């Protein structure tokens, strides 16, 4: 399996992280994972993921980074 | 942008937009009333015209904008489920839009019946808002510092509303009650508990997100709500037990916490990673500097209470806080929130392969900047008006012009929205809201 693609959205102004994540999900190979780095909980993205059959986990780093792992259910 | 994923945005776009587009109308009326009533009234904060103008700003402009922000912000930032958003927003918006003019007319005419009717409409509208947003905030499992600040703000709004309705009914029904302690409590819970707590809670999320700053210090975000609520509790006790010492101490604590919030915001903004300066950033920075000035001025008044005998000083401090701090931050936030929610809506409704317009270009930067300078000029004219009453005429006109500019800019976003909808097929199953 190849290295998961990482999107660092911590220095992007909204809606940049949402746009980049949705673009990446369009081309995400089955079984692979996308990692998104943010400084918040992106509830609009979670709604899209839930509605489109993706699952995700989130974990907060010590530097206030929310590390979100996304993959198809 | 994704061509295949579907969105499920809540609430419908019409829910927050009705508040955002109504709010500037009250600001325009406030400016025109000030221009045509003259500046003599600004000599005392208890003058009925000042109370009317104050409520055009707090219950008209600020409350409408903040209610709209809550309906939008709670689902988007905390994931809270605001139930029956169309119905509840309709009830809240309708009640506030009728109740506020009744209250303002009550101050201008001193007709008791108007106060009673205003109490009924505003009480009903605020109860609906507190119940529906409060339930969503209590049920969500969101993490972070924003949630407790929003919960405390909505609780404070409930206290403010109960006290305000009591005051209006006391005047309306001619009940013989000492209203000064209730007035003091209404004002303090409204400004510190509701408005400042909401501003801080929203800032914890919005400032780092939109201005690309480091996060607020955790010491501040963790201690802000408990300290503010403790100070508000002590302040309320001081009114019940008639203790000047408790009143002064609790007010000083509120001011110090507010100053810490303002100082922290300026500090993290100075460290922002994105160096471009837009209207929202200038609005926020100006507001935080003015909040520091307000805190220093109010602390001086606490130490030297005799200065309050110069009745112009409390009026100027009120202008500083309402127009300088709260109205400035609301203007700045509207320039981000409205384009963002329109973008989100259009993206969710656009046909496959179509890209929603760039949210940062929906309002031409030159237009928002022009309105911002007009807003700041109105403030510069307003602040000396209590001492120089003739300045109230240009200040009022400038104020009306500034809020007209805000409304125009928000309507520009709506034009982009309508243009996109008309040029693109709407995804089946997603009727326009």
């Amino acid at each position: 399996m190849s290295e998961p693609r990482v999107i660092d959205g911590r220095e992007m102004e909204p809606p940049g992280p949402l746009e980049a994540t949705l673009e990446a999900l369009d081309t995400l190979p089955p079984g692979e994972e996308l990692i998104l780095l943010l400084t918040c909980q992106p509830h609009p993205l979670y709604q899209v993921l839930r509605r489109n059959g993706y699952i995700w986990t989130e974990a907060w780093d010590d530097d206030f980074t929310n590390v979100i792992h996304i993959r198809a259910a | 942008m994704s061509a295949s994923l579907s969105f499920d945005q809540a609430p419908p776009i019409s829910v927050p937009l009705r508040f955002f587009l109504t709010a500037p109308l009250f600001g325009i009326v406030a400016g025109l009333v000030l221009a045509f009533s003259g500046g003599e009234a600004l000599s005392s904060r208890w003058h009925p015209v000042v109370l009317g103008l104050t409520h055009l700003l707090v219950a008209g402009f600020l409350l409408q904008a903040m209610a709209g922000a809550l309906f939008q912000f709670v689902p988007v930032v905390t994931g809270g489920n605001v139930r029956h958003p169309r119905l509840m927003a309709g009830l809240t918006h309708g009640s506030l839009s009728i109740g506020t003019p009744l209250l303002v007319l009550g101050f201008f005419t001193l007709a008791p019946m108007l106060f009673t009717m205003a109490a009924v409409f505003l009480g009903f509208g605020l109860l609906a808002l507190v119940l529906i947003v409060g339930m969503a905030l209590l049920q969500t499992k969101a993490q972070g510092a924003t949630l407790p600040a929003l919960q405390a703000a909505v609780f404070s709004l409930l206290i403010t509303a109960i006290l305000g309705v009591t005051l209006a009914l006391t005047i309306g029904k001619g009940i013989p009650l000492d209203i000064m302690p209730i007035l003091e409590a209404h004002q303090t819970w409204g400004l510190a508990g509701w408005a400042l707590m909401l501003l801080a809670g929203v800032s914890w999320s919005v400032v780092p997100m939109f201005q690309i700053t480091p996060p607020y210090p955790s010491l501040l975000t963790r201690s802000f709500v408990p300290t503010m609520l403790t100070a508000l509790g002590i302040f309320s006790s001081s009114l019940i037990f008639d203790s000047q010492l408790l009143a002064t101490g609790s007010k000083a604590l509120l001011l110090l916490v507010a100053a810490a919030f303002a100082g922290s915001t300026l500090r993290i903004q100075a460290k922002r990673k994105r160096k471009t300066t837009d209207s929202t950033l200038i609005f926020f920075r100006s507001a935080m500097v003015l909040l520091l000035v307000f805190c220093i001025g109010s602390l001086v008044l606490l130490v030297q209470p005799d200065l309050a005998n110069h009745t112009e000083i409390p009026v100027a401090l009120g202008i500083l806080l309402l127009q300088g701090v709260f109205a400035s931050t609301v203007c700045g936030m509207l320039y981000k929130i409205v384009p963002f929610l329109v973008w989100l809506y259009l993206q969710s409704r656009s046909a496959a392969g179509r890209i929603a317009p760039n949210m940062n270009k929906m309002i031409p930067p030159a237009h928002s900047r022009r309105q911002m300078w007009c807003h700041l000029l109105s403030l510069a004219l307003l602040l000396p008006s209590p001492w120089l009453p003739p300045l109230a005429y240009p200040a009022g006109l400038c104020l009306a012009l500034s809020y007209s500019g805000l409304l125009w800019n928000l309507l520009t976003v709506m034009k982009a929205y309508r243009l996109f909808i008309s040029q693109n097929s709407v995804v089946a199953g997603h009727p326009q809201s």
Side-chain angles (χ1 to χ4, degrees), chain B residues 79-109:
Chain B
N81 181 17
V82 177
R83 293 175 195 276
H84 312 296
R86 265 202 200 97
L87 172 69
M88 299 312 286
L91 290 175
T92 304
H93 178 258
S95 304
L96 297 183
S97 300
I98 296 169
T100 303
L102 288 172
L103 181 66
V104 173
L105 280 174
F107 282 119
F108 291 160
T109 62

PDB file of all heavy atoms in Angstrom, chain B residues 79-109:
ATOM      1  N   GLY B  79     -21.376  21.346  15.504  1.00  0.00           N
ATOM      2  CA  GLY B  79     -22.086  20.139  15.086  1.00  0.00           C
ATOM      3  C   GLY B  79     -23.424  19.973  15.796  1.00  0.00           C
ATOM      4  O   GLY B  79     -24.055  18.916  15.709  1.00  0.00           O
ATOM      5  N   GLY B  80     -23.879  20.981  16.505  1.00  0.00           N
ATOM      6  CA  GLY B  80     -25.150  20.910  17.240  1.00  0.00           C
ATOM      7  C   GLY B  80     -26.326  20.867  16.275  1.00  0.00           C
ATOM      8  O   GLY B  80     -26.284  21.476  15.205  1.00  0.00           O
ATOM      9  N   ASN B  81     -27.360  20.129  16.674  1.00  0.00           N
ATOM     10  CA  ASN B  81     -28.528  19.968  15.805  1.00  0.00           C
ATOM     11  C   ASN B  81     -29.632  20.933  16.243  1.00  0.00           C
ATOM     12  O   ASN B  81     -30.318  20.697  17.229  1.00  0.00           O
ATOM     13  CB  ASN B  81     -29.015  18.509  15.883  1.00  0.00           C
ATOM     14  CG  ASN B  81     -30.208  18.264  14.982  1.00  0.00           C
ATOM     15  OD1 ASN B  81     -30.484  19.059  14.081  1.00  0.00           O
ATOM     16  ND2 ASN B  81     -30.919  17.182  15.228  1.00  0.00           N
ATOM     17  N   VAL B  82     -29.755  22.048  15.501  1.00  0.00           N
ATOM     18  CA  VAL B  82     -30.821  23.010  15.797  1.00  0.00           C
ATOM     19  C   VAL B  82     -32.097  22.471  15.147  1.00  0.00           C
ATOM     20  O   VAL B  82     -32.202  22.411  13.928  1.00  0.00           O
ATOM     21  CB  VAL B  82     -30.475  24.406  15.227  1.00  0.00           C
ATOM     22  CG1 VAL B  82     -31.605  25.384  15.479  1.00  0.00           C
ATOM     23  CG2 VAL B  82     -29.183  24.927  15.847  1.00  0.00           C
ATOM     24  N   ARG B  83     -33.054  22.074  15.994  1.00  0.00           N
ATOM     25  CA  ARG B  83     -34.283  21.439  15.472  1.00  0.00           C
ATOM     26  C   ARG B  83     -35.244  22.473  14.888  1.00  0.00           C
ATOM     27  O   ARG B  83     -35.315  23.590  15.380  1.00  0.00           O
ATOM     28  CB  ARG B  83     -34.981  20.672  16.592  1.00  0.00           C
ATOM     29  CG  ARG B  83     -34.188  19.472  17.055  1.00  0.00           C
ATOM     30  CD  ARG B  83     -34.841  18.811  18.251  1.00  0.00           C
ATOM     31  NE  ARG B  83     -33.894  17.903  18.876  1.00  0.00           N
ATOM     32  CZ  ARG B  83     -33.694  16.645  18.468  1.00  0.00           C
ATOM     33  NH1 ARG B  83     -34.366  16.177  17.443  1.00  0.00           N
ATOM     34  NH2 ARG B  83     -32.819  15.883  19.081  1.00  0.00           N
ATOM     35  N   HIS B  84     -35.981  22.061  13.896  1.00  0.00           N
ATOM     36  CA  HIS B  84     -36.989  22.907  13.221  1.00  0.00           C
ATOM     37  C   HIS B  84     -36.430  24.300  12.929  1.00  0.00           C
ATOM     38  O   HIS B  84     -37.022  25.308  13.344  1.00  0.00           O
ATOM     39  CB  HIS B  84     -38.253  23.027  14.080  1.00  0.00           C
ATOM     40  CG  HIS B  84     -38.744  21.713  14.609  1.00  0.00           C
ATOM     41  ND1 HIS B  84     -39.198  20.711  13.779  1.00  0.00           N
ATOM     42  CD2 HIS B  84     -38.814  21.229  15.875  1.00  0.00           C
ATOM     43  CE1 HIS B  84     -39.547  19.663  14.526  1.00  0.00           C
ATOM     44  NE2 HIS B  84     -39.315  19.947  15.787  1.00  0.00           N
ATOM     45  N   PRO B  85     -35.288  24.385  12.239  1.00  0.00           N
ATOM     46  CA  PRO B  85     -34.630  25.692  12.093  1.00  0.00           C
ATOM     47  C   PRO B  85     -35.489  26.737  11.389  1.00  0.00           C
ATOM     48  O   PRO B  85     -35.512  27.897  11.808  1.00  0.00           O
ATOM     49  CB  PRO B  85     -33.365  25.376  11.292  1.00  0.00           C
ATOM     50  CG  PRO B  85     -33.606  24.055  10.658  1.00  0.00           C
ATOM     51  CD  PRO B  85     -34.543  23.321  11.545  1.00  0.00           C
ATOM     52  N   ARG B  86     -36.227  26.319  10.336  1.00  0.00           N
ATOM     53  CA  ARG B  86     -37.039  27.310   9.606  1.00  0.00           C
ATOM     54  C   ARG B  86     -38.121  27.899  10.500  1.00  0.00           C
ATOM     55  O   ARG B  86     -38.292  29.114  10.559  1.00  0.00           O
ATOM     56  CB  ARG B  86     -37.689  26.645   8.394  1.00  0.00           C
ATOM     57  CG  ARG B  86     -36.902  26.833   7.126  1.00  0.00           C
ATOM     58  CD  ARG B  86     -37.790  26.659   5.911  1.00  0.00           C
ATOM     59  NE  ARG B  86     -36.927  26.375   4.780  1.00  0.00           N
ATOM     60  CZ  ARG B  86     -36.674  25.159   4.334  1.00  0.00           C
ATOM     61  NH1 ARG B  86     -37.232  24.125   4.891  1.00  0.00           N
ATOM     62  NH2 ARG B  86     -35.863  24.984   3.317  1.00  0.00           N
ATOM     63  N   LEU B  87     -38.827  27.012  11.202  1.00  0.00           N
ATOM     64  CA  LEU B  87     -39.930  27.458  12.061  1.00  0.00           C
ATOM     65  C   LEU B  87     -39.397  28.348  13.193  1.00  0.00           C
ATOM     66  O   LEU B  87     -39.920  29.447  13.436  1.00  0.00           O
ATOM     67  CB  LEU B  87     -40.652  26.232  12.649  1.00  0.00           C
ATOM     68  CG  LEU B  87     -41.701  26.542  13.711  1.00  0.00           C
ATOM     69  CD1 LEU B  87     -42.889  27.252  13.077  1.00  0.00           C
ATOM     70  CD2 LEU B  87     -42.176  25.257  14.407  1.00  0.00           C
ATOM     71  N   MET B  88     -38.343  27.869  13.866  1.00  0.00           N
ATOM     72  CA  MET B  88     -37.846  28.606  15.036  1.00  0.00           C
ATOM     73  C   MET B  88     -37.190  29.924  14.628  1.00  0.00           C
ATOM     74  O   MET B  88     -37.327  30.933  15.311  1.00  0.00           O
ATOM     75  CB  MET B  88     -36.854  27.747  15.836  1.00  0.00           C
ATOM     76  CG  MET B  88     -37.444  26.468  16.393  1.00  0.00           C
ATOM     77  SD  MET B  88     -39.021  26.691  17.248  1.00  0.00           S
ATOM     78  CE  MET B  88     -38.488  27.466  18.768  1.00  0.00           C
ATOM     79  N   ALA B  89     -36.481  29.898  13.484  1.00  0.00           N
ATOM     80  CA  ALA B  89     -35.883  31.154  13.017  1.00  0.00           C
ATOM     81  C   ALA B  89     -36.978  32.133  12.618  1.00  0.00           C
ATOM     82  O   ALA B  89     -36.877  33.338  12.868  1.00  0.00           O
ATOM     83  CB  ALA B  89     -34.962  30.887  11.823  1.00  0.00           C
ATOM     84  N   GLY B  90     -38.050  31.610  12.023  1.00  0.00           N
ATOM     85  CA  GLY B  90     -39.169  32.473  11.638  1.00  0.00           C
ATOM     86  C   GLY B  90     -39.802  33.126  12.861  1.00  0.00           C
ATOM     87  O   GLY B  90     -40.066  34.337  12.866  1.00  0.00           O
ATOM     88  N   LEU B  91     -40.031  32.323  13.899  1.00  0.00           N
ATOM     89  CA  LEU B  91     -40.637  32.859  15.125  1.00  0.00           C
ATOM     90  C   LEU B  91     -39.719  33.893  15.776  1.00  0.00           C
ATOM     91  O   LEU B  91     -40.158  34.977  16.177  1.00  0.00           O
ATOM     92  CB  LEU B  91     -40.909  31.721  16.123  1.00  0.00           C
ATOM     93  CG  LEU B  91     -42.035  30.745  15.754  1.00  0.00           C
ATOM     94  CD1 LEU B  91     -42.112  29.617  16.769  1.00  0.00           C
ATOM     95  CD2 LEU B  91     -43.370  31.490  15.703  1.00  0.00           C
ATOM     96  N   THR B  92     -38.424  33.548  15.877  1.00  0.00           N
ATOM     97  CA  THR B  92     -37.469  34.457  16.532  1.00  0.00           C
ATOM     98  C   THR B  92     -37.323  35.746  15.734  1.00  0.00           C
ATOM     99  O   THR B  92     -37.439  36.850  16.283  1.00  0.00           O
ATOM    100  CB  THR B  92     -36.085  33.778  16.647  1.00  0.00           C
ATOM    101  OG1 THR B  92     -36.243  32.553  17.349  1.00  0.00           O
ATOM    102  CG2 THR B  92     -35.096  34.646  17.384  1.00  0.00           C
ATOM    103  N   HIS B  93     -37.095  35.587  14.435  1.00  0.00           N
ATOM    104  CA  HIS B  93     -36.860  36.758  13.590  1.00  0.00           C
ATOM    105  C   HIS B  93     -38.086  37.669  13.571  1.00  0.00           C
ATOM    106  O   HIS B  93     -37.985  38.887  13.726  1.00  0.00           O
ATOM    107  CB  HIS B  93     -36.506  36.298  12.169  1.00  0.00           C
ATOM    108  CG  HIS B  93     -36.298  37.410  11.208  1.00  0.00           C
ATOM    109  ND1 HIS B  93     -37.247  37.786  10.281  1.00  0.00           N
ATOM    110  CD2 HIS B  93     -35.262  38.267  11.037  1.00  0.00           C
ATOM    111  CE1 HIS B  93     -36.801  38.809   9.584  1.00  0.00           C
ATOM    112  NE2 HIS B  93     -35.599  39.117  10.020  1.00  0.00           N
ATOM    113  N   GLY B  94     -39.267  37.067  13.409  1.00  0.00           N
ATOM    114  CA  GLY B  94     -40.486  37.862  13.378  1.00  0.00           C
ATOM    115  C   GLY B  94     -40.704  38.607  14.680  1.00  0.00           C
ATOM    116  O   GLY B  94     -41.009  39.814  14.682  1.00  0.00           O
ATOM    117  N   SER B  95     -40.526  37.907  15.797  1.00  0.00           N
ATOM    118  CA  SER B  95     -40.772  38.531  17.110  1.00  0.00           C
ATOM    119  C   SER B  95     -39.779  39.655  17.384  1.00  0.00           C
ATOM    120  O   SER B  95     -40.163  40.727  17.883  1.00  0.00           O
ATOM    121  CB  SER B  95     -40.656  37.482  18.222  1.00  0.00           C
ATOM    122  OG  SER B  95     -41.534  36.427  17.967  1.00  0.00           O
ATOM    123  N   LEU B  96     -38.503  39.414  17.068  1.00  0.00           N
ATOM    124  CA  LEU B  96     -37.491  40.460  17.306  1.00  0.00           C
ATOM    125  C   LEU B  96     -37.726  41.654  16.386  1.00  0.00           C
ATOM    126  O   LEU B  96     -37.556  42.808  16.799  1.00  0.00           O
ATOM    127  CB  LEU B  96     -36.072  39.920  17.077  1.00  0.00           C
ATOM    128  CG  LEU B  96     -35.587  38.799  17.994  1.00  0.00           C
ATOM    129  CD1 LEU B  96     -34.144  38.433  17.669  1.00  0.00           C
ATOM    130  CD2 LEU B  96     -35.695  39.197  19.459  1.00  0.00           C
ATOM    131  N   SER B  97     -38.123  41.378  15.149  1.00  0.00           N
ATOM    132  CA  SER B  97     -38.313  42.463  14.175  1.00  0.00           C
ATOM    133  C   SER B  97     -39.531  43.325  14.508  1.00  0.00           C
ATOM    134  O   SER B  97     -39.598  44.485  14.108  1.00  0.00           O
ATOM    135  CB  SER B  97     -38.476  41.886  12.757  1.00  0.00           C
ATOM    136  OG  SER B  97     -37.325  41.150  12.422  1.00  0.00           O
ATOM    137  N   ILE B  98     -40.497  42.754  15.227  1.00  0.00           N
ATOM    138  CA  ILE B  98     -41.657  43.555  15.658  1.00  0.00           C
ATOM    139  C   ILE B  98     -41.368  44.177  17.033  1.00  0.00           C
ATOM    140  O   ILE B  98     -41.655  45.349  17.282  1.00  0.00           O
ATOM    141  CB  ILE B  98     -42.927  42.673  15.733  1.00  0.00           C
ATOM    142  CG1 ILE B  98     -43.276  42.148  14.333  1.00  0.00           C
ATOM    143  CG2 ILE B  98     -44.106  43.454  16.322  1.00  0.00           C
ATOM    144  CD1 ILE B  98     -44.348  41.076  14.329  1.00  0.00           C
ATOM    145  N   GLY B  99     -40.799  43.383  17.931  1.00  0.00           N
ATOM    146  CA  GLY B  99     -40.593  43.840  19.318  1.00  0.00           C
ATOM    147  C   GLY B  99     -39.599  44.986  19.437  1.00  0.00           C
ATOM    148  O   GLY B  99     -39.810  45.912  20.244  1.00  0.00           O
ATOM    149  N   THR B 100     -38.534  44.960  18.652  1.00  0.00           N
ATOM    150  CA  THR B 100     -37.516  46.017  18.784  1.00  0.00           C
ATOM    151  C   THR B 100     -38.057  47.399  18.398  1.00  0.00           C
ATOM    152  O   THR B 100     -37.885  48.352  19.174  1.00  0.00           O
ATOM    153  CB  THR B 100     -36.262  45.656  17.949  1.00  0.00           C
ATOM    154  OG1 THR B 100     -35.782  44.388  18.388  1.00  0.00           O
ATOM    155  CG2 THR B 100     -35.171  46.693  18.117  1.00  0.00           C
ATOM    156  N   PRO B 101     -38.726  47.553  17.240  1.00  0.00           N
ATOM    157  CA  PRO B 101     -39.290  48.886  16.953  1.00  0.00           C
ATOM    158  C   PRO B 101     -40.302  49.332  18.004  1.00  0.00           C
ATOM    159  O   PRO B 101     -40.368  50.523  18.335  1.00  0.00           O
ATOM    160  CB  PRO B 101     -39.976  48.689  15.596  1.00  0.00           C
ATOM    161  CG  PRO B 101     -39.305  47.525  14.980  1.00  0.00           C
ATOM    162  CD  PRO B 101     -38.921  46.631  16.108  1.00  0.00           C
ATOM    163  N   LEU B 102     -41.085  48.382  18.547  1.00  0.00           N
ATOM    164  CA  LEU B 102     -42.047  48.759  19.594  1.00  0.00           C
ATOM    165  C   LEU B 102     -41.315  49.311  20.821  1.00  0.00           C
ATOM    166  O   LEU B 102     -41.719  50.319  21.406  1.00  0.00           O
ATOM    167  CB  LEU B 102     -42.899  47.545  19.993  1.00  0.00           C
ATOM    168  CG  LEU B 102     -43.944  47.066  18.976  1.00  0.00           C
ATOM    169  CD1 LEU B 102     -44.566  45.745  19.435  1.00  0.00           C
ATOM    170  CD2 LEU B 102     -45.039  48.127  18.825  1.00  0.00           C
ATOM    171  N   LEU B 103     -40.223  48.632  21.197  1.00  0.00           N
ATOM    172  CA  LEU B 103     -39.460  49.083  22.365  1.00  0.00           C
ATOM    173  C   LEU B 103     -38.852  50.459  22.119  1.00  0.00           C
ATOM    174  O   LEU B 103     -38.908  51.357  22.983  1.00  0.00           O
ATOM    175  CB  LEU B 103     -38.354  48.060  22.677  1.00  0.00           C
ATOM    176  CG  LEU B 103     -37.473  48.372  23.880  1.00  0.00           C
ATOM    177  CD1 LEU B 103     -38.285  48.319  25.178  1.00  0.00           C
ATOM    178  CD2 LEU B 103     -36.300  47.402  23.982  1.00  0.00           C
ATOM    179  N   VAL B 104     -38.272  50.639  20.935  1.00  0.00           N
ATOM    180  CA  VAL B 104     -37.631  51.917  20.604  1.00  0.00           C
ATOM    181  C   VAL B 104     -38.674  53.037  20.569  1.00  0.00           C
ATOM    182  O   VAL B 104     -38.463  54.124  21.128  1.00  0.00           O
ATOM    183  CB  VAL B 104     -36.873  51.803  19.260  1.00  0.00           C
ATOM    184  CG1 VAL B 104     -36.354  53.152  18.812  1.00  0.00           C
ATOM    185  CG2 VAL B 104     -35.717  50.801  19.390  1.00  0.00           C
ATOM    186  N   LEU B 105     -39.820  52.749  19.967  1.00  0.00           N
ATOM    187  CA  LEU B 105     -40.896  53.751  19.952  1.00  0.00           C
ATOM    188  C   LEU B 105     -41.354  54.041  21.379  1.00  0.00           C
ATOM    189  O   LEU B 105     -41.725  55.178  21.708  1.00  0.00           O
ATOM    190  CB  LEU B 105     -42.075  53.246  19.120  1.00  0.00           C
ATOM    191  CG  LEU B 105     -41.916  53.381  17.607  1.00  0.00           C
ATOM    192  CD1 LEU B 105     -43.084  52.715  16.894  1.00  0.00           C
ATOM    193  CD2 LEU B 105     -41.821  54.856  17.199  1.00  0.00           C
ATOM    194  N   GLY B 106     -41.347  53.008  22.217  1.00  0.00           N
ATOM    195  CA  GLY B 106     -41.703  53.198  23.628  1.00  0.00           C
ATOM    196  C   GLY B 106     -40.769  54.203  24.297  1.00  0.00           C
ATOM    197  O   GLY B 106     -41.215  55.099  25.021  1.00  0.00           O
ATOM    198  N   PHE B 107     -39.476  54.089  24.039  1.00  0.00           N
ATOM    199  CA  PHE B 107     -38.519  55.044  24.633  1.00  0.00           C
ATOM    200  C   PHE B 107     -38.753  56.453  24.081  1.00  0.00           C
ATOM    201  O   PHE B 107     -38.640  57.432  24.806  1.00  0.00           O
ATOM    202  CB  PHE B 107     -37.079  54.607  24.339  1.00  0.00           C
ATOM    203  CG  PHE B 107     -36.608  53.483  25.222  1.00  0.00           C
ATOM    204  CD1 PHE B 107     -36.219  52.257  24.684  1.00  0.00           C
ATOM    205  CD2 PHE B 107     -36.541  53.643  26.600  1.00  0.00           C
ATOM    206  CE1 PHE B 107     -35.776  51.218  25.498  1.00  0.00           C
ATOM    207  CE2 PHE B 107     -36.108  52.607  27.430  1.00  0.00           C
ATOM    208  CZ  PHE B 107     -35.723  51.395  26.868  1.00  0.00           C
ATOM    209  N   PHE B 108     -39.056  56.543  22.789  1.00  0.00           N
ATOM    210  CA  PHE B 108     -39.211  57.866  22.183  1.00  0.00           C
ATOM    211  C   PHE B 108     -40.518  58.554  22.614  1.00  0.00           C
ATOM    212  O   PHE B 108     -40.575  59.767  22.726  1.00  0.00           O
ATOM    213  CB  PHE B 108     -39.167  57.759  20.649  1.00  0.00           C
ATOM    214  CG  PHE B 108     -37.803  57.396  20.116  1.00  0.00           C
ATOM    215  CD1 PHE B 108     -37.641  56.852  18.849  1.00  0.00           C
ATOM    216  CD2 PHE B 108     -36.653  57.597  20.884  1.00  0.00           C
ATOM    217  CE1 PHE B 108     -36.384  56.511  18.365  1.00  0.00           C
ATOM    218  CE2 PHE B 108     -35.398  57.257  20.410  1.00  0.00           C
ATOM    219  CZ  PHE B 108     -35.263  56.712  19.155  1.00  0.00           C
ATOM    220  N   THR B 109     -41.567  57.747  22.834  1.00  0.00           N
ATOM    221  CA  THR B 109     -42.869  58.357  23.159  1.00  0.00           C
ATOM    222  C   THR B 109     -43.228  58.209  24.639  1.00  0.00           C
ATOM    223  O   THR B 109     -44.142  58.874  25.112  1.00  0.00           O
ATOM    224  CB  THR B 109     -43.989  57.681  22.337  1.00  0.00           C
ATOM    225  OG1 THR B 109     -44.042  56.293  22.712  1.00  0.00           O
ATOM    226  CG2 THR B 109     -43.730  57.800  20.838  1.00  0.00           C
TER     227      THR B 109
END
